[in-house]
Amino acid sequence: MTRTLDSAIHFLSATNAPITRWGRSFSAALLAVMLAVAVAQIASRAFFNHTLDWAEELARMALVWSVLLAAPLAYRSGAHVAISAFAEAIPPRLLYATALVLNLLTAWICGVFLLESFDFVARGFTIVASAVPLPMGWVYAIVPASLAALLLVAIECVLRLARALLEGRCDLLLSGAVPVADTDRDA
């Protein structure tokens, strides 16, 4: 049983590590785009007394994409808001069982939202952005991609916790209820 879990964890780790690295890199590039657009907007107003109508909308789109691209990395590395006071007060085995349930719920929510997101994207193709002539479906396309990546990370977390509980070991590094993946080793 643990050999199967180890194989699944290894596969998910090998899948999630490059996805989260790519998401981080692309997110950083989008933040640079946001900065460039903001500087261009300020310069255009200051020097030419002209407002770039598309700048705010493009910056908002880049912000949404950057957040959704970075979310799987934040989940996987435990870089999220965690209430550690409760985690420190719970006995380790109960904490792991609670973490397992919470990560199962997270996986379920991501799965449900992932299924719903396809209709969301399809409906987006019927709407055109107001300032940037782009169907909103292209902007919304990041939602199922991000949810799929979050679902893979949630499954990896569930399997790591299940293996620890089955082996009776409580040696995972937890951030709240999320087992932190060894990002240095996975990189």
PDB file of all heavy atoms in Angstrom, residues 57 61 64-65 68 116-130 132-146:
ATOM      1  N   GLU A  57      -7.679  48.154 -17.682  1.00  0.00           N
ATOM      2  CA  GLU A  57      -8.284  46.842 -17.916  1.00  0.00           C
ATOM      3  C   GLU A  57      -7.215  45.765 -18.135  1.00  0.00           C
ATOM      4  O   GLU A  57      -7.313  44.666 -17.598  1.00  0.00           O
ATOM      5  CB  GLU A  57      -9.229  46.919 -19.112  1.00  0.00           C
ATOM      6  CG  GLU A  57     -10.101  45.702 -19.255  1.00  0.00           C
ATOM      7  CD  GLU A  57     -11.200  45.922 -20.275  1.00  0.00           C
ATOM      8  OE1 GLU A  57     -10.901  46.318 -21.415  1.00  0.00           O
ATOM      9  OE2 GLU A  57     -12.358  45.681 -19.909  1.00  0.00           O
ATOM     10  N   MET A  61      -6.500  42.469 -15.784  1.00  0.00           N
ATOM     11  CA  MET A  61      -6.435  41.108 -16.323  1.00  0.00           C
ATOM     12  C   MET A  61      -5.123  40.431 -15.921  1.00  0.00           C
ATOM     13  O   MET A  61      -5.112  39.264 -15.516  1.00  0.00           O
ATOM     14  CB  MET A  61      -6.554  41.132 -17.844  1.00  0.00           C
ATOM     15  CG  MET A  61      -7.905  41.515 -18.358  1.00  0.00           C
ATOM     16  SD  MET A  61      -7.832  41.688 -20.162  1.00  0.00           S
ATOM     17  CE  MET A  61      -9.485  42.250 -20.521  1.00  0.00           C
ATOM     18  N   VAL A  64      -5.245  39.378 -12.189  1.00  0.00           N
ATOM     19  CA  VAL A  64      -6.027  38.163 -11.956  1.00  0.00           C
ATOM     20  C   VAL A  64      -5.234  36.935 -12.394  1.00  0.00           C
ATOM     21  O   VAL A  64      -5.140  35.940 -11.672  1.00  0.00           O
ATOM     22  CB  VAL A  64      -7.393  38.237 -12.676  1.00  0.00           C
ATOM     23  CG1 VAL A  64      -8.105  36.899 -12.663  1.00  0.00           C
ATOM     24  CG2 VAL A  64      -8.257  39.318 -12.044  1.00  0.00           C
ATOM     25  N   TRP A  65      -4.637  37.002 -13.561  1.00  0.00           N
ATOM     26  CA  TRP A  65      -3.845  35.883 -14.053  1.00  0.00           C
ATOM     27  C   TRP A  65      -2.660  35.605 -13.126  1.00  0.00           C
ATOM     28  O   TRP A  65      -2.365  34.443 -12.833  1.00  0.00           O
ATOM     29  CB  TRP A  65      -3.353  36.161 -15.478  1.00  0.00           C
ATOM     30  CG  TRP A  65      -4.286  35.669 -16.529  1.00  0.00           C
ATOM     31  CD1 TRP A  65      -5.572  36.080 -16.734  1.00  0.00           C
ATOM     32  CD2 TRP A  65      -4.010  34.684 -17.506  1.00  0.00           C
ATOM     33  NE1 TRP A  65      -6.113  35.401 -17.802  1.00  0.00           N
ATOM     34  CE2 TRP A  65      -5.169  34.539 -18.296  1.00  0.00           C
ATOM     35  CE3 TRP A  65      -2.902  33.920 -17.806  1.00  0.00           C
ATOM     36  CZ2 TRP A  65      -5.250  33.641 -19.346  1.00  0.00           C
ATOM     37  CZ3 TRP A  65      -2.968  33.032 -18.872  1.00  0.00           C
ATOM     38  CH2 TRP A  65      -4.139  32.893 -19.623  1.00  0.00           C
ATOM     39  N   LEU A  68      -3.837  33.812  -9.925  1.00  0.00           N
ATOM     40  CA  LEU A  68      -4.265  32.431 -10.164  1.00  0.00           C
ATOM     41  C   LEU A  68      -3.114  31.529 -10.595  1.00  0.00           C
ATOM     42  O   LEU A  68      -3.136  30.322 -10.330  1.00  0.00           O
ATOM     43  CB  LEU A  68      -5.405  32.395 -11.182  1.00  0.00           C
ATOM     44  CG  LEU A  68      -6.723  32.979 -10.655  1.00  0.00           C
ATOM     45  CD1 LEU A  68      -7.771  33.038 -11.758  1.00  0.00           C
ATOM     46  CD2 LEU A  68      -7.241  32.198  -9.466  1.00  0.00           C
ATOM     47  N   GLU A 116     -17.335  23.339 -13.111  1.00  0.00           N
ATOM     48  CA  GLU A 116     -18.168  24.510 -13.395  1.00  0.00           C
ATOM     49  C   GLU A 116     -17.433  25.556 -14.228  1.00  0.00           C
ATOM     50  O   GLU A 116     -18.060  26.332 -14.956  1.00  0.00           O
ATOM     51  CB  GLU A 116     -18.658  25.148 -12.091  1.00  0.00           C
ATOM     52  CG  GLU A 116     -19.596  24.283 -11.287  1.00  0.00           C
ATOM     53  CD  GLU A 116     -20.904  24.000 -11.995  1.00  0.00           C
ATOM     54  OE1 GLU A 116     -21.419  24.898 -12.707  1.00  0.00           O
ATOM     55  OE2 GLU A 116     -21.413  22.873 -11.848  1.00  0.00           O
ATOM     56  N   SER A 117     -16.119  25.591 -14.123  1.00  0.00           N
ATOM     57  CA  SER A 117     -15.352  26.648 -14.790  1.00  0.00           C
ATOM     58  C   SER A 117     -15.388  26.534 -16.316  1.00  0.00           C
ATOM     59  O   SER A 117     -15.212  27.539 -17.011  1.00  0.00           O
ATOM     60  CB  SER A 117     -13.902  26.649 -14.303  1.00  0.00           C
ATOM     61  OG  SER A 117     -13.201  25.515 -14.755  1.00  0.00           O
ATOM     62  N   PHE A 118     -15.636  25.353 -16.845  1.00  0.00           N
ATOM     63  CA  PHE A 118     -15.673  25.214 -18.297  1.00  0.00           C
ATOM     64  C   PHE A 118     -16.852  25.985 -18.895  1.00  0.00           C
ATOM     65  O   PHE A 118     -16.716  26.622 -19.937  1.00  0.00           O
ATOM     66  CB  PHE A 118     -15.694  23.737 -18.695  1.00  0.00           C
ATOM     67  CG  PHE A 118     -14.442  23.010 -18.304  1.00  0.00           C
ATOM     68  CD1 PHE A 118     -14.465  22.027 -17.332  1.00  0.00           C
ATOM     69  CD2 PHE A 118     -13.224  23.344 -18.878  1.00  0.00           C
ATOM     70  CE1 PHE A 118     -13.308  21.369 -16.956  1.00  0.00           C
ATOM     71  CE2 PHE A 118     -12.059  22.694 -18.507  1.00  0.00           C
ATOM     72  CZ  PHE A 118     -12.092  21.710 -17.542  1.00  0.00           C
ATOM     73  N   ASP A 119     -18.003  25.930 -18.233  1.00  0.00           N
ATOM     74  CA  ASP A 119     -19.147  26.735 -18.684  1.00  0.00           C
ATOM     75  C   ASP A 119     -18.867  28.223 -18.519  1.00  0.00           C
ATOM     76  O   ASP A 119     -19.277  29.040 -19.341  1.00  0.00           O
ATOM     77  CB  ASP A 119     -20.415  26.366 -17.909  1.00  0.00           C
ATOM     78  CG  ASP A 119     -20.990  25.027 -18.333  1.00  0.00           C
ATOM     79  OD1 ASP A 119     -20.705  24.596 -19.465  1.00  0.00           O
ATOM     80  OD2 ASP A 119     -21.722  24.413 -17.533  1.00  0.00           O
ATOM     81  N   PHE A 120     -18.184  28.567 -17.439  1.00  0.00           N
ATOM     82  CA  PHE A 120     -17.812  29.962 -17.186  1.00  0.00           C
ATOM     83  C   PHE A 120     -16.961  30.506 -18.336  1.00  0.00           C
ATOM     84  O   PHE A 120     -17.210  31.593 -18.856  1.00  0.00           O
ATOM     85  CB  PHE A 120     -17.058  30.033 -15.854  1.00  0.00           C
ATOM     86  CG  PHE A 120     -16.510  31.368 -15.501  1.00  0.00           C
ATOM     87  CD1 PHE A 120     -17.354  32.448 -15.259  1.00  0.00           C
ATOM     88  CD2 PHE A 120     -15.147  31.563 -15.371  1.00  0.00           C
ATOM     89  CE1 PHE A 120     -16.839  33.690 -14.915  1.00  0.00           C
ATOM     90  CE2 PHE A 120     -14.625  32.791 -15.021  1.00  0.00           C
ATOM     91  CZ  PHE A 120     -15.484  33.860 -14.794  1.00  0.00           C
ATOM     92  N   VAL A 121     -15.979  29.730 -18.762  1.00  0.00           N
ATOM     93  CA  VAL A 121     -15.121  30.141 -19.882  1.00  0.00           C
ATOM     94  C   VAL A 121     -15.930  30.219 -21.166  1.00  0.00           C
ATOM     95  O   VAL A 121     -15.809  31.190 -21.931  1.00  0.00           O
ATOM     96  CB  VAL A 121     -13.912  29.186 -20.036  1.00  0.00           C
ATOM     97  CG1 VAL A 121     -13.126  29.493 -21.296  1.00  0.00           C
ATOM     98  CG2 VAL A 121     -13.017  29.260 -18.811  1.00  0.00           C
ATOM     99  N   ALA A 122     -16.778  29.242 -21.399  1.00  0.00           N
ATOM    100  CA  ALA A 122     -17.597  29.246 -22.618  1.00  0.00           C
ATOM    101  C   ALA A 122     -18.500  30.472 -22.672  1.00  0.00           C
ATOM    102  O   ALA A 122     -18.637  31.112 -23.726  1.00  0.00           O
ATOM    103  CB  ALA A 122     -18.426  27.960 -22.697  1.00  0.00           C
ATOM    104  N   ARG A 123     -19.125  30.819 -21.535  1.00  0.00           N
ATOM    105  CA  ARG A 123     -19.953  32.027 -21.501  1.00  0.00           C
ATOM    106  C   ARG A 123     -19.113  33.281 -21.714  1.00  0.00           C
ATOM    107  O   ARG A 123     -19.584  34.269 -22.275  1.00  0.00           O
ATOM    108  CB  ARG A 123     -20.706  32.124 -20.168  1.00  0.00           C
ATOM    109  CG  ARG A 123     -21.864  31.162 -20.067  1.00  0.00           C
ATOM    110  CD  ARG A 123     -22.742  31.444 -18.857  1.00  0.00           C
ATOM    111  NE  ARG A 123     -22.025  31.573 -17.597  1.00  0.00           N
ATOM    112  CZ  ARG A 123     -21.717  30.565 -16.777  1.00  0.00           C
ATOM    113  NH1 ARG A 123     -22.078  29.333 -17.090  1.00  0.00           N
ATOM    114  NH2 ARG A 123     -21.080  30.768 -15.648  1.00  0.00           N
ATOM    115  N   GLY A 124     -17.866  33.238 -21.286  1.00  0.00           N
ATOM    116  CA  GLY A 124     -16.975  34.386 -21.456  1.00  0.00           C
ATOM    117  C   GLY A 124     -16.707  34.712 -22.912  1.00  0.00           C
ATOM    118  O   GLY A 124     -16.437  35.869 -23.253  1.00  0.00           O
ATOM    119  N   PHE A 125     -16.794  33.730 -23.779  1.00  0.00           N
ATOM    120  CA  PHE A 125     -16.568  33.994 -25.202  1.00  0.00           C
ATOM    121  C   PHE A 125     -17.722  34.760 -25.848  1.00  0.00           C
ATOM    122  O   PHE A 125     -17.605  35.200 -26.981  1.00  0.00           O
ATOM    123  CB  PHE A 125     -16.276  32.691 -25.952  1.00  0.00           C
ATOM    124  CG  PHE A 125     -14.854  32.233 -25.769  1.00  0.00           C
ATOM    125  CD1 PHE A 125     -14.572  31.137 -24.978  1.00  0.00           C
ATOM    126  CD2 PHE A 125     -13.806  32.916 -26.362  1.00  0.00           C
ATOM    127  CE1 PHE A 125     -13.269  30.719 -24.789  1.00  0.00           C
ATOM    128  CE2 PHE A 125     -12.500  32.506 -26.182  1.00  0.00           C
ATOM    129  CZ  PHE A 125     -12.231  31.402 -25.390  1.00  0.00           C
ATOM    130  N   THR A 126     -18.804  34.932 -25.118  1.00  0.00           N
ATOM    131  CA  THR A 126     -19.916  35.732 -25.635  1.00  0.00           C
ATOM    132  C   THR A 126     -19.811  37.194 -25.205  1.00  0.00           C
ATOM    133  O   THR A 126     -20.628  38.011 -25.595  1.00  0.00           O
ATOM    134  CB  THR A 126     -21.270  35.169 -25.149  1.00  0.00           C
ATOM    135  OG1 THR A 126     -21.356  35.297 -23.724  1.00  0.00           O
ATOM    136  CG2 THR A 126     -21.440  33.711 -25.555  1.00  0.00           C
ATOM    137  N   ILE A 127     -18.792  37.512 -24.402  1.00  0.00           N
ATOM    138  CA  ILE A 127     -18.596  38.869 -23.884  1.00  0.00           C
ATOM    139  C   ILE A 127     -17.251  39.388 -24.390  1.00  0.00           C
ATOM    140  O   ILE A 127     -16.255  38.665 -24.375  1.00  0.00           O
ATOM    141  CB  ILE A 127     -18.563  38.869 -22.341  1.00  0.00           C
ATOM    142  CG1 ILE A 127     -19.806  38.214 -21.765  1.00  0.00           C
ATOM    143  CG2 ILE A 127     -18.395  40.274 -21.796  1.00  0.00           C
ATOM    144  CD1 ILE A 127     -19.677  37.883 -20.285  1.00  0.00           C
ATOM    145  N   VAL A 128     -17.238  40.631 -24.826  1.00  0.00           N
ATOM    146  CA  VAL A 128     -15.983  41.265 -25.252  1.00  0.00           C
ATOM    147  C   VAL A 128     -15.623  42.321 -24.223  1.00  0.00           C
ATOM    148  O   VAL A 128     -16.473  43.075 -23.761  1.00  0.00           O
ATOM    149  CB  VAL A 128     -16.124  41.888 -26.658  1.00  0.00           C
ATOM    150  CG1 VAL A 128     -14.857  42.611 -27.063  1.00  0.00           C
ATOM    151  CG2 VAL A 128     -16.475  40.814 -27.671  1.00  0.00           C
ATOM    152  N   ALA A 129     -14.359  42.358 -23.851  1.00  0.00           N
ATOM    153  CA  ALA A 129     -13.888  43.351 -22.882  1.00  0.00           C
ATOM    154  C   ALA A 129     -14.161  44.753 -23.411  1.00  0.00           C
ATOM    155  O   ALA A 129     -14.147  44.985 -24.627  1.00  0.00           O
ATOM    156  CB  ALA A 129     -12.399  43.151 -22.620  1.00  0.00           C
ATOM    157  N   SER A 130     -14.364  45.689 -22.516  1.00  0.00           N
ATOM    158  CA  SER A 130     -14.772  47.027 -22.944  1.00  0.00           C
ATOM    159  C   SER A 130     -13.640  47.834 -23.571  1.00  0.00           C
ATOM    160  O   SER A 130     -13.853  48.508 -24.567  1.00  0.00           O
ATOM    161  CB  SER A 130     -15.376  47.791 -21.762  1.00  0.00           C
ATOM    162  OG  SER A 130     -14.444  47.894 -20.718  1.00  0.00           O
ATOM    163  N   VAL A 132     -10.159  46.568 -24.049  1.00  0.00           N
ATOM    164  CA  VAL A 132      -9.253  45.698 -24.807  1.00  0.00           C
ATOM    165  C   VAL A 132     -10.131  44.806 -25.674  1.00  0.00           C
ATOM    166  O   VAL A 132     -10.931  44.042 -25.150  1.00  0.00           O
ATOM    167  CB  VAL A 132      -8.390  44.838 -23.860  1.00  0.00           C
ATOM    168  CG1 VAL A 132      -7.471  43.922 -24.633  1.00  0.00           C
ATOM    169  CG2 VAL A 132      -7.603  45.707 -22.896  1.00  0.00           C
ATOM    170  N   PRO A 133     -10.010  44.894 -26.993  1.00  0.00           N
ATOM    171  CA  PRO A 133     -10.912  44.100 -27.854  1.00  0.00           C
ATOM    172  C   PRO A 133     -10.559  42.608 -27.812  1.00  0.00           C
ATOM    173  O   PRO A 133      -9.939  42.068 -28.724  1.00  0.00           O
ATOM    174  CB  PRO A 133     -10.696  44.708 -29.240  1.00  0.00           C
ATOM    175  CG  PRO A 133      -9.304  45.250 -29.191  1.00  0.00           C
ATOM    176  CD  PRO A 133      -9.063  45.686 -27.780  1.00  0.00           C
ATOM    177  N   LEU A 134     -10.971  41.973 -26.733  1.00  0.00           N
ATOM    178  CA  LEU A 134     -10.622  40.581 -26.497  1.00  0.00           C
ATOM    179  C   LEU A 134     -11.833  39.879 -25.882  1.00  0.00           C
ATOM    180  O   LEU A 134     -12.417  40.391 -24.927  1.00  0.00           O
ATOM    181  CB  LEU A 134      -9.430  40.525 -25.523  1.00  0.00           C
ATOM    182  CG  LEU A 134      -8.879  39.179 -25.111  1.00  0.00           C
ATOM    183  CD1 LEU A 134      -8.149  38.526 -26.297  1.00  0.00           C
ATOM    184  CD2 LEU A 134      -7.912  39.360 -23.957  1.00  0.00           C
ATOM    185  N   PRO A 135     -12.216  38.725 -26.429  1.00  0.00           N
ATOM    186  CA  PRO A 135     -13.289  37.978 -25.773  1.00  0.00           C
ATOM    187  C   PRO A 135     -12.866  37.595 -24.351  1.00  0.00           C
ATOM    188  O   PRO A 135     -11.739  37.138 -24.135  1.00  0.00           O
ATOM    189  CB  PRO A 135     -13.464  36.737 -26.644  1.00  0.00           C
ATOM    190  CG  PRO A 135     -12.873  37.103 -27.963  1.00  0.00           C
ATOM    191  CD  PRO A 135     -11.767  38.076 -27.662  1.00  0.00           C
ATOM    192  N   MET A 136     -13.740  37.792 -23.397  1.00  0.00           N
ATOM    193  CA  MET A 136     -13.413  37.534 -22.003  1.00  0.00           C
ATOM    194  C   MET A 136     -13.145  36.056 -21.735  1.00  0.00           C
ATOM    195  O   MET A 136     -12.518  35.712 -20.733  1.00  0.00           O
ATOM    196  CB  MET A 136     -14.527  38.054 -21.091  1.00  0.00           C
ATOM    197  CG  MET A 136     -14.596  39.573 -21.032  1.00  0.00           C
ATOM    198  SD  MET A 136     -13.062  40.349 -20.466  1.00  0.00           S
ATOM    199  CE  MET A 136     -13.048  39.850 -18.758  1.00  0.00           C
ATOM    200  N   GLY A 137     -13.581  35.190 -22.626  1.00  0.00           N
ATOM    201  CA  GLY A 137     -13.278  33.771 -22.478  1.00  0.00           C
ATOM    202  C   GLY A 137     -11.785  33.515 -22.399  1.00  0.00           C
ATOM    203  O   GLY A 137     -11.339  32.626 -21.668  1.00  0.00           O
ATOM    204  N   TRP A 138     -10.989  34.297 -23.145  1.00  0.00           N
ATOM    205  CA  TRP A 138      -9.534  34.140 -23.082  1.00  0.00           C
ATOM    206  C   TRP A 138      -8.997  34.573 -21.727  1.00  0.00           C
ATOM    207  O   TRP A 138      -8.055  33.987 -21.205  1.00  0.00           O
ATOM    208  CB  TRP A 138      -8.850  34.925 -24.196  1.00  0.00           C
ATOM    209  CG  TRP A 138      -9.141  34.359 -25.549  1.00  0.00           C
ATOM    210  CD1 TRP A 138      -9.842  34.944 -26.547  1.00  0.00           C
ATOM    211  CD2 TRP A 138      -8.759  33.066 -26.040  1.00  0.00           C
ATOM    212  NE1 TRP A 138      -9.934  34.107 -27.635  1.00  0.00           N
ATOM    213  CE2 TRP A 138      -9.259  32.943 -27.349  1.00  0.00           C
ATOM    214  CE3 TRP A 138      -8.047  32.003 -25.506  1.00  0.00           C
ATOM    215  CZ2 TRP A 138      -9.083  31.800 -28.116  1.00  0.00           C
ATOM    216  CZ3 TRP A 138      -7.864  30.866 -26.274  1.00  0.00           C
ATOM    217  CH2 TRP A 138      -8.375  30.774 -27.568  1.00  0.00           C
ATOM    218  N   VAL A 139      -9.588  35.582 -21.148  1.00  0.00           N
ATOM    219  CA  VAL A 139      -9.184  36.026 -19.816  1.00  0.00           C
ATOM    220  C   VAL A 139      -9.607  34.987 -18.780  1.00  0.00           C
ATOM    221  O   VAL A 139      -8.850  34.656 -17.872  1.00  0.00           O
ATOM    222  CB  VAL A 139      -9.798  37.403 -19.491  1.00  0.00           C
ATOM    223  CG1 VAL A 139      -9.443  37.848 -18.082  1.00  0.00           C
ATOM    224  CG2 VAL A 139      -9.369  38.438 -20.516  1.00  0.00           C
ATOM    225  N   TYR A 140     -10.810  34.449 -18.921  1.00  0.00           N
ATOM    226  CA  TYR A 140     -11.333  33.465 -17.974  1.00  0.00           C
ATOM    227  C   TYR A 140     -10.651  32.101 -18.094  1.00  0.00           C
ATOM    228  O   TYR A 140     -10.804  31.255 -17.214  1.00  0.00           O
ATOM    229  CB  TYR A 140     -12.833  33.267 -18.171  1.00  0.00           C
ATOM    230  CG  TYR A 140     -13.689  34.488 -17.953  1.00  0.00           C
ATOM    231  CD1 TYR A 140     -14.983  34.526 -18.449  1.00  0.00           C
ATOM    232  CD2 TYR A 140     -13.229  35.605 -17.267  1.00  0.00           C
ATOM    233  CE1 TYR A 140     -15.797  35.626 -18.254  1.00  0.00           C
ATOM    234  CE2 TYR A 140     -14.032  36.715 -17.078  1.00  0.00           C
ATOM    235  CZ  TYR A 140     -15.319  36.724 -17.573  1.00  0.00           C
ATOM    236  OH  TYR A 140     -16.116  37.816 -17.386  1.00  0.00           O
ATOM    237  N   ALA A 141      -9.925  31.867 -19.172  1.00  0.00           N
ATOM    238  CA  ALA A 141      -9.309  30.555 -19.402  1.00  0.00           C
ATOM    239  C   ALA A 141      -8.325  30.167 -18.304  1.00  0.00           C
ATOM    240  O   ALA A 141      -8.052  28.971 -18.106  1.00  0.00           O
ATOM    241  CB  ALA A 141      -8.619  30.535 -20.758  1.00  0.00           C
ATOM    242  N   ILE A 142      -7.809  31.138 -17.587  1.00  0.00           N
ATOM    243  CA  ILE A 142      -6.872  30.821 -16.504  1.00  0.00           C
ATOM    244  C   ILE A 142      -7.573  30.101 -15.358  1.00  0.00           C
ATOM    245  O   ILE A 142      -6.939  29.367 -14.602  1.00  0.00           O
ATOM    246  CB  ILE A 142      -6.164  32.108 -16.004  1.00  0.00           C
ATOM    247  CG1 ILE A 142      -5.001  31.760 -15.073  1.00  0.00           C
ATOM    248  CG2 ILE A 142      -7.132  33.029 -15.307  1.00  0.00           C
ATOM    249  CD1 ILE A 142      -3.941  30.906 -15.683  1.00  0.00           C
ATOM    250  N   VAL A 143      -8.878  30.282 -15.210  1.00  0.00           N
ATOM    251  CA  VAL A 143      -9.594  29.694 -14.073  1.00  0.00           C
ATOM    252  C   VAL A 143      -9.527  28.164 -14.090  1.00  0.00           C
ATOM    253  O   VAL A 143      -9.106  27.555 -13.097  1.00  0.00           O
ATOM    254  CB  VAL A 143     -11.042  30.228 -13.999  1.00  0.00           C
ATOM    255  CG1 VAL A 143     -11.829  29.529 -12.897  1.00  0.00           C
ATOM    256  CG2 VAL A 143     -11.039  31.739 -13.783  1.00  0.00           C
ATOM    257  N   PRO A 144      -9.916  27.480 -15.181  1.00  0.00           N
ATOM    258  CA  PRO A 144      -9.799  26.013 -15.136  1.00  0.00           C
ATOM    259  C   PRO A 144      -8.342  25.541 -15.054  1.00  0.00           C
ATOM    260  O   PRO A 144      -8.065  24.526 -14.403  1.00  0.00           O
ATOM    261  CB  PRO A 144     -10.469  25.544 -16.427  1.00  0.00           C
ATOM    262  CG  PRO A 144     -10.647  26.735 -17.270  1.00  0.00           C
ATOM    263  CD  PRO A 144     -10.589  27.933 -16.400  1.00  0.00           C
ATOM    264  N   ALA A 145      -7.429  26.271 -15.669  1.00  0.00           N
ATOM    265  CA  ALA A 145      -6.021  25.878 -15.580  1.00  0.00           C
ATOM    266  C   ALA A 145      -5.533  25.954 -14.137  1.00  0.00           C
ATOM    267  O   ALA A 145      -4.871  25.033 -13.637  1.00  0.00           O
ATOM    268  CB  ALA A 145      -5.175  26.777 -16.479  1.00  0.00           C
ATOM    269  N   SER A 146      -5.868  27.030 -13.459  1.00  0.00           N
ATOM    270  CA  SER A 146      -5.462  27.188 -12.063  1.00  0.00           C
ATOM    271  C   SER A 146      -6.139  26.161 -11.164  1.00  0.00           C
ATOM    272  O   SER A 146      -5.504  25.575 -10.284  1.00  0.00           O
ATOM    273  CB  SER A 146      -5.779  28.605 -11.584  1.00  0.00           C
ATOM    274  OG  SER A 146      -5.426  28.762 -10.239  1.00  0.00           O
TER     275      SER A 146
END
